[in-house]
Amino acid sequence: MGVLMSRRQTVERVQKVSLAVSAFKDGLREQPSTRRRAEAGTARQGTLEQEVQEGEEEASAGPSQPEESSASKAAWERLRDGRGIEPEEFDRANRFTPPAFIRPKRELHDDEPPDISLEQREQILNDEMCEICEVWTAESLFPCRICPRVYHDGCLRRMGYLQKDSAVEVTETAHTETGWSCYYCDNLNLLLTEEEMYSLMETLKSCKIIPGACLTLDDFLHYKHQVHKQQFERTMPEAQEEQAALQFHALDPDKKGHIEWQDFLSHESIQLLQKIRPQNALLRLLTPKERERARAAFLALDQDNDGFIGEGECRQARHTWFRKHQKEMLSCNVSISHVGPISEGSPASSRNGKSPEKILPATKQEETSIDWPGFLRENVAYILAARPNSAALHLQPLA
């Protein structure tokens, strides 16, 4: 692993030196254009439309095409390698070197149905040592709510994964029922294989999507129209356009008028997984914590213990447990191994003193019944989409 990292760092240093030499040879007359490009690259606060416009202005202002193509190539390489933070975006002094990430590979048995029993509960155990420094310090470790990894807050800061705005959130939620996802589980794009990532990159390139850029509603709808036309060779129906608009607003919970790049990338990643991989392969991505949470959800809905729930109850679970965890500040005395859903008797089961509405038993008899395997297949994509810490809804459930 260390050899791979040193080679990658060496390549990056060589690229930076090559860019510097090229800029020096070009002369002083091209420095203003280079400065504008550097400022745009570090800010990364504009929308996709603004970045495209800036790129067109620079192209008409002067040469420096080799440097622009090299920077663009570096951005796509970071996307391919699953690196969401550019090395220039924060000071690397006194920081740990992030581990090299290797994308997963598909196995021959992935498409076979996994054996996930409803009756056989799984014992949830977290790692005893910090994933980064491999040191055990008991209660000061922050557990991931998806995988068994645990972390020190100081190690996360030195890795650059815990900034000032997110430090309080991690501290307050890591030991609650809401939980916190580590930097591995928070990024849905890391679930893609190299082949799947290459397919997504080709789609983004063909639609002129710039890595790191925010997207407005017009940008998002234009992208969805292009993807639909490429896939089906016809215009996207109005009903699907309305659904895409709902998805945009779900990705913009704070109503900023745009969606962040990481939320857009997670949404597109889970969409691609749904299209390419069969449900059995998606089920194999679930961790023991997620499977145990799904068991608790199913058993809570199966009030008569016959092994079946109604279709409406299945949708209810999709809109509550697996849509997105609510950011409620619960007691930090909750066990770090607790991964069950927010049930009726839990501290977070009500808001403002009001209990959630109960589904009448007659509903299950009137609707199509769903067993445990069907429940998992119907909800697996939403379980995976609930992994990121972002408040955005990366997979909008159908009404």
Side-chain angles (χ1 to χ4, degrees):
M1 185 73 70
V3 176
L4 292 177
M5 287 191 295
S6 62
R7 288 180 178 175
R8 177 174 296 173
Q9 292 171 351
T10 302
V11 171
E12 290 176 349
R13 291 195 186 98
V14 171
Q15 290 177 345
K16 290 180 181 178
V17 173
S18 299
L19 291 176
V21 173
S22 176
F24 179 80
K25 289 183 178 179
D26 288 340
L28 297 177
R29 64 184 179 83
E30 295 181 3
Q31 288 184 357
S33 176
T34 305
R35 187 179 302 110
R36 286 198 303 271
R37 179 164 46 256
E39 294 173 352
T42 54
R44 290 194 177 278
Q45 298 295 327
T47 63
L48 176 62
E49 182 180 356
Q50 292 172 338
E51 293 205 14
V52 171
Q53 183 177 359
E54 291 175 2
E56 293 176 350
E57 291 176 356
E58 291 184 3
S60 60
S64 72
Q65 184 65 26
E67 186 173 354
E68 181 180 0
S69 61
S70 179
S72 176
K73 181 180 179 181
W76 287 110
E77 287 178 350
R78 285 192 297 271
L79 178 59
R80 179 197 63 202
D81 296 339
R83 290 178 290 169
I85 301 178
E86 295 187 33
E88 297 81 9
E89 288 188 11
F90 55 82
D91 183 15
R92 274 288 178 187
N94 298 322
R95 293 189 183 274
F96 293 145
T97 301
F101 177 78
I102 301 177
R103 289 195 172 273
K105 295 183 179 180
R106 295 290 307 277
E107 302 294 339
L108 295 177
H109 65 279
D110 281 354
D111 296 344
E112 299 176 1
D115 183 17
I116 305 178
S117 173
L118 176 63
E119 294 77 15
Q120 185 176 357
R121 309 299 290 266
E122 299 182 59
Q123 185 178 9
I124 304 301
L125 296 175
N126 289 314
D127 293 341
E128 296 183 352
M129 296 186 296
C130 174
E131 176 72 14
I132 299 173
C133 69
E134 298 184 352
V135 173
W136 177 80
T137 52
E139 296 180 356
S140 63
L141 292 170
F142 291 145
C144 174
R145 65 180 176 87
I146 305 299
C147 69
R149 301 183 184 96
V150 292
Y151 301 86
H152 292 121
D153 60 338
C155 293
L156 290 171
R157 287 189 178 91
R158 294 188 66 183
M159 288 279 287
Y161 291 118
L162 192 62
Q163 305 297 330
K164 293 182 180 179
D165 55 347
S166 60
V168 176
E169 178 181 337
V170 172
T171 303
E172 293 180 340
T173 62
H175 291 85
T176 68
E177 292 187 55
T178 298
W180 162 80
S181 296
C182 69
Y183 53 88
Y184 284 108
C185 302
D186 181 62
N187 188 356
L188 296 179
N189 183 253
L190 300 185
L191 295 175
L192 302 183
T193 63
E194 290 186 2
E195 295 78 11
E196 292 166 345
M197 189 61 220
Y198 177 80
S199 173
L200 178 58
M201 288 174 58
E202 289 299 307
T203 301
L204 296 177
K205 287 181 179 179
S206 64
C207 297
K208 299 182 180 180
I209 297 294
I210 302 175
C214 300
L215 280 79
T216 64
L217 177 59
D218 291 338
D219 297 331
F220 187 74
L221 292 179
H222 179 67
Y223 167 77
K224 289 294 184 180
H225 274 282
Q226 286 185 296
V227 172
H228 188 276
K229 193 169 185 179
Q230 290 177 3
Q231 186 175 359
F232 301 103
E233 298 183 352
R234 65 173 183 271
T235 305
M236 186 170 66
E238 184 177 352
Q240 292 190 23
E241 182 178 354
E242 294 177 356
Q243 186 64 33
L246 291 176
Q247 179 63 71
F248 174 86
H249 294 301
L251 290 170
D252 181 25
D254 298 330
K255 296 179 172 53
K256 299 178 182 178
H258 66 268
I259 55 179
E260 302 295 333
W261 164 253
Q262 192 59 40
D263 290 325
F264 170 74
L265 185 61
S266 291
H267 165 69
E268 289 302 307
S269 299
I270 196 67
Q271 288 276 83
L272 182 62
L273 286 174
Q274 278 188 298
K275 293 178 183 178
I276 293 182
R277 298 197 197 181
Q279 288 179 322
N280 289 333
L282 294 181
L283 288 172
R284 292 185 178 276
L285 297 177
L286 298 180
T287 65
K289 291 184 179 181
E290 289 173 316
R291 294 194 296 266
E292 192 62 20
R293 186 179 295 117
R295 286 189 185 91
F298 185 87
L299 293 174
L301 292 171
D302 184 20
Q303 298 181 3
D304 53 7
N305 298 323
D306 64 349
F308 293 90
I309 64 172
E311 188 176 358
E313 293 172 318
C314 183
R315 288 196 300 269
Q316 181 197 29
R318 189 177 306 162
H319 280 267
T320 53
W321 285 279
F322 304 140
R323 184 181 65 176
K324 180 62 64 176
H325 291 269
Q326 301 296 329
K327 300 295 182 183
E328 298 184 27
M329 297 298 103
L330 309 180
S331 170
C332 288
N333 293 328
V334 179
S335 170
I336 62 176
S337 63
H338 178 84
V339 292
I342 300 177
S343 60
E344 184 178 351
S346 71
S349 61
S350 61
R351 292 185 181 180
N352 301 326
K354 296 181 180 180
S355 299
E357 297 181 0
K358 295 182 179 180
I359 295 181
L360 298 177
T363 304
K364 182 170 25 175
Q365 299 176 1
E366 297 171 358
E367 294 180 327
T368 303
S369 296
I370 298 178
D371 59 3
W372 165 243
F375 175 80
L376 278 180
R377 289 193 299 268
E378 291 292 326
N379 288 292
V380 60
Y382 297 96
I383 300 175
L384 295 173
R387 286 186 176 185
N389 295 308
S390 168
L393 215 62
H394 299 96
L395 190 61
Q396 172 71 21
L398 298 175

